[in-house]
Amino acid sequence: MKKKAIIFGVTGQDGAYLSKFLLKKGYIVHGIKRRASQLNTYRIDDIYSDPLIKKNNFFLHYGDVTDSISIFSIINKIKPNEIYNLAAQSHVAVSFDLPEYTTNADASGTLRILECITRINKKIKFYQAGSSEMFGKVVESPQTEKTPFYPRSPYGVAKVYSHWITVNYRESYKLFACNGILFNHESPLRGETFVTKKVVKALCKIKLKKQKKLFIGNLSAKRDWGHAEDYVQAMWKILQNNKPDDFVICTGKQYSIKQFINMVSKELEIKIKWRGKGIKEKGFDENNNCIIECSKKYFRPAEVDTLVGDASKAKKILKWKPKHNIQSLIEDMISYELNLHKNAQ
Ligand code: NAP
Ligand code: GDD
């Protein structure tokens, strides 16, 4: 019998990569999407044209993690082997503007799914999309599964709730419920308001003379960036382990936003000279045009200055090994962006 998986958040970056990964493994995948006023399935539309994927194994249902009835009906109807909860208001800066909604979706949403599992079938395995954002104002570096949390945003606080309610349901009801504590992961399918995609997109357009300037926030924050393709494999491996457990997934290397911009510029053969300090720091091209400028608009009320993880546990127990490094991630993102412009001509 083929395994059945439900993915909450199927239309997002990770939902798209995970759907393709599970379909190639022979799963029947049921994706849950929200109603939107415009089509929001562009990241998964290619599933229907991929010859390696059997289309009749992929189904989409309307649902929302803020709506218990929709969650219960879907799980009860499909009776899946595995549930991946990737649904979230996932933008940290936006969570300061929408704290109550973020808590409803990112914290209570997890509780709703867990509660449905206990009522429908306790054998359904559950993956919770935890985040390095939970480490926030880090108390040690690198961060491991044992590092205490210190969240710095409504998003981070909601994810900490989800982490602990997942642990609590595992211990209380013996559920196979697991947390992946994933550090930032990017790809060509990354949402356009996250910093890597924003930088790659803008610098490609600047190179093609279709944009003059990139406005950016805090250049000195540091992140541990991996590729979403490697990270969805880790999600699956976490649910195939012989016992339910929590795992940090990361590369172990960190770069600042400024270093990331420099790497992307180098790849695009744009020579940037930096002048000024702090919010007044600016980037100039070889013709002395200012192409990068900081704007207060992109700073957050509380910042996570530095994140870098240690994935030794996942490497040892799950034998997880990422294929990509920062260079191949950047190349993948740039080539996708440049192809879009080429095809638009
Ligand atoms: P994403 O691209 O923003 O995708 C989020 C998905 O959740 C989208 O499909 C979105 O639907 C859906 N969603 C939002 N609110 C919902 C609701 N109320 N009910 C049902 N679905 C809802 O995020 P991602 O980068 O793929 O990340 C996937 C998960 O991993 C998220 O939970 C995120 O917080 C977590 N995470 C991400 C990273 C990372 O670096 N990418 C790291 C750690 C943890 P729409 O398409 O309709 O908006
Ligand atoms: N988005 C954005 N836009 N961030 C900027 C900008 C800008 O113009 N300029 C500087 N930054 C800085 C942010 O202040 C932050 O320190 C860093 O770039 C990364 O920002 P994001 O790319 O928005 O990601 P994030 O780290 O806040 O959150 C992502 O990773 C988390 C895992 O640690 C999201 O995917 C979360 O959902 C995820 O949990």
Side-chain angles (χ1 to χ4, degrees):
M1 270 267 278
K2 285 187 167 190
K3 277 193 187 171
K4 284 185 278 183
I6 291 182
I7 303 177
F8 286 93
V10 73
T11 54
Q13 168 190 259
D14 292 4
Y17 278 98
L18 182 64
S19 298
K20 289 164 203 167
F21 177 85
L22 293 178
L23 286 164
K24 284 186 181 150
K25 285 240 167 264
Y27 276 66
I28 296 174
V29 174
H30 293 264
I32 312 308
K33 62 167 184 170
R34 297 192 290 178
R35 194 267 162 185
S37 67
Q38 286 202 313
L39 292 179
N40 61 353
T41 54
Y42 73 94
R43 290 185 174 107
I44 45 177
D45 286 341
D46 60 332
I47 287 179
Y48 296 102
S49 55
D50 187 333
L52 293 175
I53 293 176
K54 291 209 180 73
K55 285 123 215 101
N56 54 0
N57 285 342
F58 185 58
F59 303 92
L60 291 177
H61 309 261
Y62 283 109
D64 195 300
V65 291
T66 62
D67 182 320
S68 302
I69 298 173
S70 74
I71 300 172
F72 187 88
S73 312
I74 290 164
I75 301 176
N76 195 38
K77 186 168 143 207
I78 294 161
K79 303 229 164 36
N81 305 87
E82 297 170 7
I83 294 179
Y84 295 84
N85 179 27
L86 313 182
Q89 189 301 95
S90 72
H91 204 284
V92 173
V94 173
S95 77
F96 287 97
D97 297 325
L98 298 176
E100 192 179 350
Y101 175 73
T102 302
T103 306
N104 193 359
D106 300 13
S108 305
T110 309
L111 170 68
R112 293 185 186 101
I113 299 174
L114 285 165
E115 195 48 40
C116 289
I117 293 176
T118 63
R119 284 154 200 260
I120 294 168
N121 178 3
K122 291 202 182 70
K123 292 214 153 49
I124 298 171
K125 293 183 177 181
F126 177 73
Y127 173 85
Q128 166 56 20
S131 166
S132 51
E133 194 64 21
M134 300 188 293
F135 296 122
K137 191 171 178 182
V138 297
V139 300
E140 63 179 13
S141 275
Q143 295 85 52
T144 71
E145 293 78 4
K146 295 199 170 117
T147 304
F149 298 140
Y150 190 152
R152 294 274 279 171
S153 62
Y155 169 85
V157 174
K159 286 286 182 181
V160 170
Y161 173 85
S162 280
H163 177 94
W164 284 114
I165 200 69
T166 300
V167 172
N168 180 258
Y169 270 55
R170 173 166 83 215
E171 293 173 354
S172 306
Y173 306 113
K174 310 280 168 275
L175 298 189
F176 199 108
C178 311
N179 290 292
I181 307 174
L182 272 52
F183 283 61
N184 298 49
H185 45 282
E186 321 293 313
S187 75
L189 300 184
R190 186 60 146 149
E192 295 188 359
T193 57
F194 295 97
V195 77
T196 56
K197 181 72 167 178
K198 184 175 161 180
V199 165
V200 170
K201 204 169 183 61
L203 289 176
C204 286
K205 281 174 131 182
I206 288 171
K207 177 75 187 177
L208 298 172
K209 302 205 181 326
K210 292 183 175 177
Q211 183 173 329
K212 290 211 162 106
K213 207 182 265 185
L214 161 67
F215 288 94
I216 198 89
N218 182 4
L219 286 168
S220 56
K222 291 181 183 156
R223 289 291 182 275
D224 175 333
W225 283 294
H227 196 303
E229 196 181 15
D230 288 325
Y231 286 41
V232 300
Q233 189 202 33
M235 294 176 188
W236 175 76
K237 278 180 172 272
I238 288 173
L239 290 197
Q240 313 316 307
N241 191 25
N242 55 14
K243 67 176 178 97
D245 205 348
D246 307 322
F247 293 91
V248 159
I249 303 296
C250 60
T251 70
K253 295 204 166 74
Q254 66 169 190
Y255 302 91
S256 68
I257 312 301
K258 187 170 158 185
Q259 282 174 310
F260 185 83
I261 294 176
N262 286 335
M263 287 186 278
V264 175
S265 306
K266 192 169 172 211
E267 193 56 32
L268 286 167
E269 296 177 353
I270 303 174
K271 284 198 182 113
I272 299 192
K273 278 210 173 108
W274 293 95
R275 285 186 220 136
K277 283 221 154 66
I279 191 145
K280 295 214 169 112
E281 190 159 14
K282 291 181 182 170
F284 295 83
D285 69 7
E286 48 208 346
N287 300 320
N288 215 19
N289 296 313
C290 175
I291 56 167
I292 300 166
E293 199 172 319
C294 294
S295 164
K296 267 198 178 142
K297 190 175 154 191
Y298 299 111
F299 282 71
R300 296 162 184 193
E303 176 62 293
V304 171
D305 297 317
T306 173
L307 288 174
V308 60
D310 174 355
S312 301
K313 182 176 167 186
K315 286 185 177 157
K316 185 168 169 225
I317 297 177
L318 306 175
K319 313 274 177 256
W320 175 73
K321 203 172 162 226
K323 273 195 322 204
H324 288 276
N325 58 24
I326 189 82
Q327 185 57 29
S328 67
L329 168 68
I330 288 174
E331 285 167 14
D332 197 15
M333 292 180 79
I334 289 180
S335 102
Y336 178 88
E337 217 57 54
L338 293 179
N339 268 333
L340 282 184
H341 290 285
K342 219 199 256 163
N343 295 336
Q345 275 169 5

